[in-house]
């Protein structure tokens, strides 16, 4: 795709740093006009000026604190009313400060507002408008911790499992309606997220930490290939397919009119 060919406009949340800023760069390079969303307006304006000068695309800045529901509604309004927007990158998120037993519940609730409530509202709004127009795409940034909740910190894992599950459900609903959907599951990635939560990526095993540009380039390649779920680190995509098939083995037995025999309830219920 030529860098000068015009693509649909993309709205990227959490575009002021890390994964979101890298998506903004790569999408501008592909010729997408952009709407950049985050709290740090100065940083967004700097990125907007750089990208429009470098790639000749139009870049708007929309300041929003996505833990605040009125700000989320402003972004939702933009998604619904700007008919040029064809791609949502639902990326803004914060990480945990530590294990649940030591964490601050107010911070974790703010995390749910950002990682779940805002992501949910924007993804559904985008799905609704894109399905009505018969065109558009949604990229939701989850995390591999959605798949290994035993190995990371509670509310964060759960928030990312929500994003993964939501993406799979939206995909089933928009099937055949011209809307492309992807959940992207980064592993550890070199961004500011750890410093922001009071930690440091330097304490982590470097063999497990990916460069953010490699991550986003791989994620966009997965998007181009039409993957619903993209795990940039995973060497063999067949492992994901095996996992999904194993999960769906449960499906025929997840809802019956009586409890399983091992609970010994069947006979008692019949006696009432
Ligand atoms: N880095 C990793 O290892 C990793 C792994 C798996 C998943 N992820 C996910 O990737 C996404 C991006 O994270 P990142 O690693 O790129 O982290 P980052 O560098 O800290 O970037 C986070 C972005 O979210 C924005 N943000 C934070 N709080 C916000 C709020 N209240 N309202 C609006 N925007 C807010 C920040 O901008 P402002 O501060 O300007 O608002 C920033 O642009 C997150 O969803 C994260 O959970 C990251």
């Amino acid at each position: 795709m030529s860098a000068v060919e015009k693509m649909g406009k993309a709205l990227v949340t959490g575009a002021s740093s890390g994964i979101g800023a890298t998506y903004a760069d790569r999408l501008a390079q592909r010729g997408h006009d952009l709407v950049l969303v985050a709290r740090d307006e100065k940083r967004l304006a700097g990125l907007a000026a750089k990208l429009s000068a470098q790639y000749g695309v139009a870049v708007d800045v929309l300041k929003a604190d996505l833990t605040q529901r009125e700000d989320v509604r402003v972004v939702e309004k933009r998604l619904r009313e700007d008919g040029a927007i064809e791609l949502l990158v639902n990326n803004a998120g914060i990480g945990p400060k530590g294990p649940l037993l030591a964490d601050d519940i107010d911070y974790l609730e703010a995390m749910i507002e950002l990682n779940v409530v805002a992501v949910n509202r924007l993804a559904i709004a985008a799905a609704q408008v894109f399905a009505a127009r018969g065109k558009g795409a949604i990229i939701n940034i989850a995390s591999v911790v959605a798949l290994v909740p035993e190995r990371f910190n509670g509310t964060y894992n759960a928030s990312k499992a929500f994003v993964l599950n939501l993406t799979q459900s939206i995909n089933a609903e928009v099937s055949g309606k011209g809307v492309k959907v992807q959940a992207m599951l980064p592993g550890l990635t070199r961004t500011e997220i750890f410093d922001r939560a009071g930690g440091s990526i330097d304490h982590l095993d470097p063999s497990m930490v990916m460069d953010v540009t490699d991550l986003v380039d791989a994620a966009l390649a997965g998007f181009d290939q039409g993957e619903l779920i993209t795990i940039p680190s995973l060497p063999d995509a067949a492992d994901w397919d095996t996992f999904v098939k194993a999960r769906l083995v449960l499906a025929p037995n997840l809802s019956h009119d009586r409890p399983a025999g091992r609970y010994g309830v069947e006979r008692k219920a019949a006696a009432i």
Side-chain angles (χ1 to χ4, degrees):
M1 187 62 66
S2 146
V4 290
E5 186 178 333
K6 276 286 177 190
M7 308 282 287
K9 194 184 288 184
L11 186 149
V12 183
T13 70
S16 63
S17 71
I19 294 169
T22 309
Y23 265 103
D25 179 88
R26 294 311 199 248
L27 293 172
Q29 190 175 30
R30 288 174 171 220
H32 293 269
D33 289 337
L34 295 171
V35 183
L36 305 180
V37 180
R39 292 166 303 178
D40 189 335
E41 199 171 15
K42 203 172 157 199
R43 220 170 163 188
L44 289 178
L47 181 62
K50 176 178 168 288
L51 296 180
S52 55
Q54 196 170 350
Y55 301 117
V57 294
V59 187
D60 293 344
V61 163
L62 182 52
K63 180 183 171 170
D65 180 343
L66 297 175
T67 62
Q68 303 303 310
R69 295 191 177 188
E70 57 277 23
D71 282 18
V72 178
R73 283 172 192 270
V74 171
V75 180
E76 177 193 356
K77 190 165 184 286
R78 182 68 184 261
L79 268 175
R80 289 189 184 280
E81 293 179 0
D82 185 341
I85 295 176
E86 293 181 3
L87 171 62
L88 166 66
V89 183
N90 219 351
N91 162 78
I94 52 173
K97 291 183 172 165
L100 283 188
L101 294 184
D103 217 330
D104 165 8
I105 298 181
D106 290 333
Y107 176 78
L108 297 174
E109 284 192 0
M111 177 189 284
I112 290 173
E113 287 292 331
L114 181 62
N115 293 14
V116 175
V117 177
V119 166
N120 182 61
R121 189 157 197 107
L122 299 182
I124 293 173
Q128 289 175 347
V129 289
F130 295 163
R133 289 184 209 141
K135 190 176 182 190
I138 302 167
I139 299 174
N140 290 326
I141 309 304
S143 166
V144 293
V145 299
L147 305 173
V148 282
E150 304 83 354
R151 299 199 190 162
F152 207 62
N153 300 330
T155 302
Y156 182 74
N157 304 340
S159 76
K160 294 303 180 179
F162 177 91
V163 177
L164 173 59
N165 194 308
L166 178 73
T167 307
Q168 291 167 305
S169 289
I170 289 176
N171 184 61
E173 275 209 45
V174 300
S175 168
K177 295 188 163 58
V179 184
K180 194 170 164 180
V181 182
Q182 181 195 34
M184 200 275 273
L185 280 61
L188 296 171
T189 310
R190 200 171 302 284
T191 69
E192 296 172 17
I193 196 167
F194 301 95
D195 301 297
R196 286 176 189 256
S200 168
I201 197 143
D202 298 331
H203 300 143
L204 302 168
D205 175 356
S207 73
M208 294 178 73
V209 180
M210 194 176 286
D211 180 81
V212 69
T213 54
D214 291 346
L215 176 90
V216 173
D217 287 341
L220 283 169
F223 179 75
D224 293 342
Q225 289 165 23
E227 286 186 346
L228 168 60
I229 308 297
T230 294
I231 305 176
S233 284
L234 191 71
D236 189 353
D239 286 346
W240 170 260
D241 298 334
T242 304
F243 172 69
V244 173
K245 277 191 200 123
R247 178 167 62 75
L248 291 176
V249 164
L250 298 173
N253 285 313
L254 292 178
S255 186
H256 287 312
D257 59 358
R258 67 200 66 188
R262 70 181 174 284
Y263 299 117
V265 176
E266 210 172 346
R267 213 181 272 160
K268 275 184 258 160
I272 290 171

